[in-house]
Amino acid sequence: MSSVKIAPSILAADFAAFGTEIDAVEAQGADWIHVDVMDGHFVPNISFGPATCAAIRPHIKTVMDVHLMIAPVDPYIEEFAKAGADILTAHVEAGPHIHRTLQAIRGAGMKAGVALNPGTPAEAVAHVLDLCDLVCVMTVNPGFGGQKFIPMHDKIRKLHDMIGDRPIDIEIDGGVDPTTAGDLVKAGASVLVAGSAVFRGGSVSDPAPYGENIRAIRAAI
Ligand code: DX5
Ligand code: ZN
């Protein structure tokens, strides 16, 4: 399925060279760049915040897909808009007012995404789908790259049915590689995030493996 987008997560890139890494994966065929923001509170890890997003923005020629693993979300929406996010995704578990959060994200001029932890049912987003451009199904517990894939195909199929003909992407995040990609797309996924499966084997000085890795995922779908 050629319309499926592959979104390398820079969580697996060289943190001292984000610009070069982004240039490299885009040159090697990335469709979107997935940017994981973690606060050490909603998830047990800290990555980086809006200043880093703003700094890398000029390198992103495709789509800047920012995944917020933070709570609260609302006080930071404007800052991520200023940083240049195209899509801003908040977790449904991050607070009691996801409806307001999604309205605020669109109100700030971005596309709005909602993410679901593995333990959260598809139904949790049933009443906010009309406020969403993307639903992110976590197939690991968020916080770290390189974790073992947790099968969520039933949830993906259910969301695909719930979404119907609305123009909403289903994004899968966590443990995506050539062995898991095919079934995810069959279940209804349209965006595959991949961190370790894209960046493994390569480096700033040897980015060719990024292209081989992206093509291996594409070949599996
Ligand atoms: C996990 C992040 C993911 C992560 C995926 O909390 O949201 O985007 O980078 O990494 P891999 O593809 O290595 O599982
Ligand atoms: Zn992510």
Side-chain angles (χ1 to χ4, degrees):
M1 290 193 46
S2 58
S3 62
V4 175
K5 293 166 278 282
I6 298 178
S9 163
I10 58 164
L11 197 63
D14 181 343
F15 270 45
F18 276 152
T20 314
E21 293 279 66
I22 289 164
D23 295 343
V25 284
E26 288 196 342
Q28 298 287 342
D31 298 299
W32 291 6
I33 300 297
H34 185 80
V35 180
D36 286 308
V37 174
M38 304 180 181
D39 67 352
H41 165 73
F42 179 70
V43 291
N45 190 14
I46 300 174
S47 57
F48 48 76
T52 302
C53 293
I56 65 176
R57 173 70 257 195
H59 289 271
I60 301 177
K61 308 283 186 294
T62 58
V63 170
M64 186 180 197
D65 171 36
V66 177
H67 176 194
L68 297 181
M69 287 159 276
I70 68 171
V73 170
D74 295 11
Y76 301 101
I77 290 172
E78 203 53 53
E79 246 186 294
F80 284 101
K82 284 202 193 101
D86 295 301
I87 304 168
L88 193 66
T89 296
H91 269 261
V92 68
E93 308 87 359
H97 297 296
I98 189 67
H99 190 285
R100 176 184 292 149
T101 298
L102 293 167
Q103 283 181 319
I105 292 172
R106 279 192 172 170
M110 297 171 283
K111 289 192 170 178
V114 64
L116 296 94
N117 281 335
T120 302
E123 288 77 4
V125 298
H127 297 282
V128 294
L129 286 177
D130 286 324
L131 298 172
C132 288
D133 303 286
L134 175 147
V135 178
C136 174
V137 178
M138 295 304 303
T139 40
V140 297
N141 285 296
F144 303 93
Q147 302 183 80
K148 191 177 173 339
F149 177 79
I150 304 169
M152 287 281 142
H153 302 86
D154 286 357
K155 193 196 287 191
I156 298 163
R157 276 191 287 270
K158 183 167 277 184
L159 283 164
H160 189 257
D161 287 348
M162 286 163 61
I163 287 168
D165 57 8
R166 297 174 176 97
I168 300 175
D169 275 308
I170 298 182
E171 174 178 76
I172 311 301
D173 189 2
V176 174
D177 65 16
T179 71
T180 54
D183 286 345
L184 292 168
V185 170
K186 276 194 202 105
S190 59
V191 184
L192 300 177
V193 175
S196 34
V198 166
F199 286 94
R200 72 167 59 112
S203 67
V204 171
S205 54
D206 176 25
Y210 303 161
E212 291 159 23
N213 293 338
I214 290 170
R215 287 190 291 278
I217 297 170
R218 244 190 252 291
I221 51 187

